[in-house]
């Protein structure tokens, strides 16, 4: 205990073989830390680009095209949600569609299934967009909106210009 | 000479029809009603509560929005900025309208949840506004030259407001669109002879049914301008009703409103001093 050499041999400034070993360990630690850092950065940038990509994709694909609308109307594989008022159905109603007026949808979206694609539509594209927003806000992931107004006819035919 | 005469005919017809329109006292009354309702003051900043009642609902859907309008020309072009503050899920939803007289309106809607700016078809002014019974045209007004007007009669119109019975001596005007419209075949408007504000308006569809009935429930002067404080739009066929309630304490005429508020850039980030009202009042 009285020998100051022992004290110095144990200290971190000690030079010699032990110091070499410590340096090697230190270097290893730095390398590992760097690797972790690089990995984290790479992971973050990848997930960021993925998120950006997804948002861009969802941004683009949230709109249903007239062709898609017609296809699903025939195939009956999606819920085509007409958000016009009840009285507007007098101007025409499309087969294989359901009507929930926008003002009712705000409080009654729960009756719609979340696992099926829903396409909202109306006669000018603004109410369908609001309906889309309501559904997305409430956890519906498979939703699209027809941003073009549908022209209805009393005989059930329709036009999507 | 002959060619000149042929070319002059359409201009002559337009001139005659314009002169006839202006010479018509019914058109003049509707013009005054339009000015009283939509052009009072050079600009207006207020807060409106919109309550949508429908059958089966326990309570109405309530929305609150800030309403700012600025006249570019009295009786002509106007700009509107609407900014929703309640309920929280539509907070920051913003709407811009540049109302034009002879061309389609410019309309942009910003929905913060999807961060999208939507271009809204300016032609369809009669489509419901934000799921209410009011259309965009009911909010921004309709130019008198779009209809042919005639006075049906003069009568006393009464309405119950805040447990009071209010009486208005009115002109009753029938208006038929000059160009056939999708929803409306004609309207009948009761215009107060004192303030020239429309106190009642009935909208008829192409089945000759009353599809919308507008009532001004409460009118009060603010800064010297008679202002409709409470109004409602009833849709008998839809069995719904929308009430518009103006926040009197937060209604200001002729304030300083910059033009850039009505640009697309304001949709995402409007100037705070223009959209913040005293919430406690």
């Amino acid at each position: 205990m009285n020998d100051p050499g022992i004290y110095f041999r144990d200290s971190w400034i000690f030079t010699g073989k032990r110091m070499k070993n410590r340096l090697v360990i230190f270097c290893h630690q730095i390398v590992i830390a760097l690797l972790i850092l690089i990995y984290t950065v790479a992971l973050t940038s990848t997930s960021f680009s993925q998120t950006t990509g997804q948002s861009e994709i969802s941004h683009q694909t949230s709109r249903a095209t007239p062709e898609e609308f017609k296809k699903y109307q025939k195939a009956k594989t999606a819920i085509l949600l007409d958000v016009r008022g009840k009285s507007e159905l007098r101007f025409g109603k499309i087969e294989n569609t359901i009507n929930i007026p926008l003002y009712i949808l705000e409080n009654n979206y729960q009756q719609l299934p979340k696992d099926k694609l829903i396409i909202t539509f109306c006669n000018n594209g603004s109410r369908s967009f609001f309906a889309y927003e309501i559904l997305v806000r409430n956890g519906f992931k498979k939703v699209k909106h027809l941003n073009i107004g549908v022209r209805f006819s009393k005989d059930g035919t329709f036009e999507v210009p | 000479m002959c060619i000149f005469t042929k070319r002059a005919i359409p201009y002559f017809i337009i001139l005659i029809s314009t002169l006839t329109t202006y010479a018509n006292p019914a058109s003049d009354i509707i013009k005054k009603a339009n000015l009283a309702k939509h052009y009072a003051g050079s600009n207006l900043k207020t807060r409106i509560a919109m309550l949508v009642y429908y059958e089966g609902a326990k309570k109405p859907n309530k929305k609150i929005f800030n309403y700012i309008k600025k006249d570019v020309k009295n009786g002509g072009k106007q700009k509107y900025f609407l900014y929703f503050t309640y309920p929280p899920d539509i907070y920051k939803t913003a709407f811009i309208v540049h109302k034009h007289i002879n061309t389609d309106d410019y309309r942009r809607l910003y929905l913060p949840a999807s961060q999208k700016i939507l271009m809204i078809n300016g032609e369809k002014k009669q489509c419901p506004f934000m799921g209410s019974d009011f259309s965009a045209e009911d909010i921004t007004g309709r130019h008198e030259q779009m209809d042919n007007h005639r006075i049906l009669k003069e009568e006393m119109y009464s309405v119950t407001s805040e447990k009071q019975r209010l009486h208005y001596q009115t002109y009753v005007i029938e208006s038929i669109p000059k160009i056939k419209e999708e929803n409306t075949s004609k309207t009948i408007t009761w215009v107060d002879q004192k303030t020239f504000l429309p106190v009642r308006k009935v909208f008829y569809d192409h089945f000759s049914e009353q599809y919308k009935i507008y009532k001004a429930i409460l009118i009060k002067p603010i800064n010297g301008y008679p202002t409709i404080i409470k109004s409602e739009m009833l849709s008998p066929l839809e069995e719904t009703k929308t009430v518009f309630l103006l926040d009197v304490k937060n209604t200001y005429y002729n304030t300083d409103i910059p033009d850039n508020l009505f640009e697309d850039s304001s949709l995402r980030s409007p100037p705070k001093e223009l959209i913040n009202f005293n919430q406690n009042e």
Side-chain angles (χ1 to χ4, degrees), chain B residues 2-281:
Chain B
C2 185
I3 294 165
F4 174 76
T5 317
K6 274 183 185 171
R7 281 185 181 173
I9 287 169
Y11 296 104
F12 190 68
I13 291 167
I14 291 168
L15 183 72
I16 293 286
S17 89
T18 311
L19 288 172
T20 319
T21 307
Y22 281 105
N24 183 354
S27 287
D28 196 40
I29 292 165
I30 291 294
K31 187 183 178 183
K32 282 180 181 171
N34 201 17
L35 288 173
K37 191 180 177 197
H38 299 287
Y39 291 89
S42 61
N43 63 55
L44 168 68
K45 179 186 167 189
T46 186
R47 195 162 61 161
I48 295 173
M50 182 171 91
L51 304 155
V52 182
Y53 296 82
Y54 63 93
E55 201 191 4
K58 287 172 190 168
K59 54 181 185 175
N61 282 344
K62 184 180 176 184
K63 292 183 176 80
I64 296 174
F65 61 92
N66 297 346
Y67 171 103
I68 300 169
K69 72 111 192 172
K70 189 174 186 177
D71 301 349
V72 178
K73 188 186 169 191
N74 193 29
K77 192 179 171 184
Q78 280 183 313
K79 289 178 180 178
Y80 288 83
F81 183 81
L82 275 61
Y83 185 82
F84 285 79
T85 57
Y86 182 88
D89 57 355
I90 61 158
Y91 177 59
K92 288 185 178 177
T93 297
F95 194 44
I96 279 176
V97 180
H98 293 185
K99 182 180 138 189
H100 301 288
I101 302 303
N102 298 319
T103 54
D104 289 342
D105 291 351
Y106 176 88
R107 290 152 196 256
R108 293 291 182 274
L109 175 74
Y110 172 64
L111 290 161
S114 57
Q115 298 189 341
K116 281 184 189 175
I117 292 176
L118 184 76
M119 186 178 80
I120 294 181
N121 192 341
E123 286 173 9
K124 303 216 171 185
K125 295 178 182 180
Q126 294 178 352
C127 283
F129 170 74
M130 292 287 280
S132 76
D133 296 282
F134 284 86
S135 69
E137 194 176 68
D138 299 326
I139 294 167
T140 58
R142 178 180 173 87
H143 199 270
E144 71 279 357
Q145 284 184 26
M146 293 173 79
D147 304 313
N148 289 315
H149 310 280
R150 71 182 177 107
I151 299 175
L152 295 179
K153 56 185 171 183
E154 288 184 35
E155 73 171 18
M156 188 65 84
Y157 168 72
S158 302
V159 65
T160 304
S161 168
E162 293 180 339
K163 295 173 187 174
Q164 278 185 321
R165 195 83 178 142
L166 302 173
H167 306 281
Y168 300 99
Q169 182 61 34
T170 60
Y171 296 109
V172 184
I173 315 274
E174 182 193 67
S175 308
I176 297 172
K178 287 179 181 171
I179 300 164
K180 194 185 173 187
E181 287 186 355
E182 195 181 336
N183 298 339
T184 313
S185 65
K186 70 168 181 182
T187 59
I188 295 177
T189 313
W190 283 252
V191 180
D192 177 27
Q193 292 187 2
K194 199 173 161 189
T195 60
F196 279 96
L197 281 171
V199 288
R200 181 182 163 90
K201 189 172 182 177
V202 179
F203 298 75
Y204 290 85
D205 62 18
H206 295 288
F207 303 90
S208 299
E209 285 185 275
Q210 297 183 359
Y211 79 94
K212 281 200 310 187
I213 300 164
Y214 168 83
K215 282 181 196 171
I217 310 286
L218 184 64
I219 298 169
K220 274 185 181 174
I222 298 176
N223 301 131
Y225 299 102
T227 309
I228 299 170
I229 306 296
K230 188 182 178 184
S231 58
E232 67 173 40
M233 187 70 87
L234 184 78
S235 299
L237 304 171
E238 205 71 39
E239 295 175 325
T240 55
K241 182 175 89 171
T242 302
V243 173
F244 267 26
L245 210 57
L246 225 75
D247 180 357
V248 180
K249 287 179 183 170
N250 279 311
T251 299
Y252 311 95
Y253 281 102
N254 305 329
T255 53
D256 188 25
I257 295 170
D259 275 334
N260 62 5
L261 177 70
F262 305 96
E263 302 300 326
D264 285 1
S265 54
S266 295
L267 286 166
R268 289 176 202 271
S269 52
K272 281 180 186 173
E273 65 275 17
L274 287 171
I275 54 162
N276 287 347
F277 284 90
N278 188 352
Q279 303 290 326
N280 299 323
E281 286 182 18

Side-chain angles (χ1 to χ4, degrees), chain A residues 5-65:
Chain A
I6 297 167
Y7 174 75
F8 283 112
R9 269 197 296 272
D10 285 343
S11 76
W12 69 275
I13 51 163
F14 185 76
T15 52
K17 200 179 176 184
R18 191 172 283 184
M19 178 60 190
K20 226 178 196 177
N21 288 341
R22 287 197 172 193
L23 255 171
V24 169
I25 292 165
F26 183 64
C27 286
H28 278 182
Q29 282 172 342
I30 285 177
V31 169
I32 289 164
L34 273 170
L35 280 172
I36 290 169
L37 190 74
I38 290 163
Y39 181 71
T40 315
V41 168
L43 203 71
T44 318
S45 65
T46 315
S47 69
F48 177 75
S49 66
Q50 274 175 357
T51 321
T52 319
Q54 272 171 6
S55 79
E56 278 169 4
I57 288 164
S58 70
H59 198 81
Q60 287 164 1
T61 56
S62 66
R63 288 178 183 174
T65 61

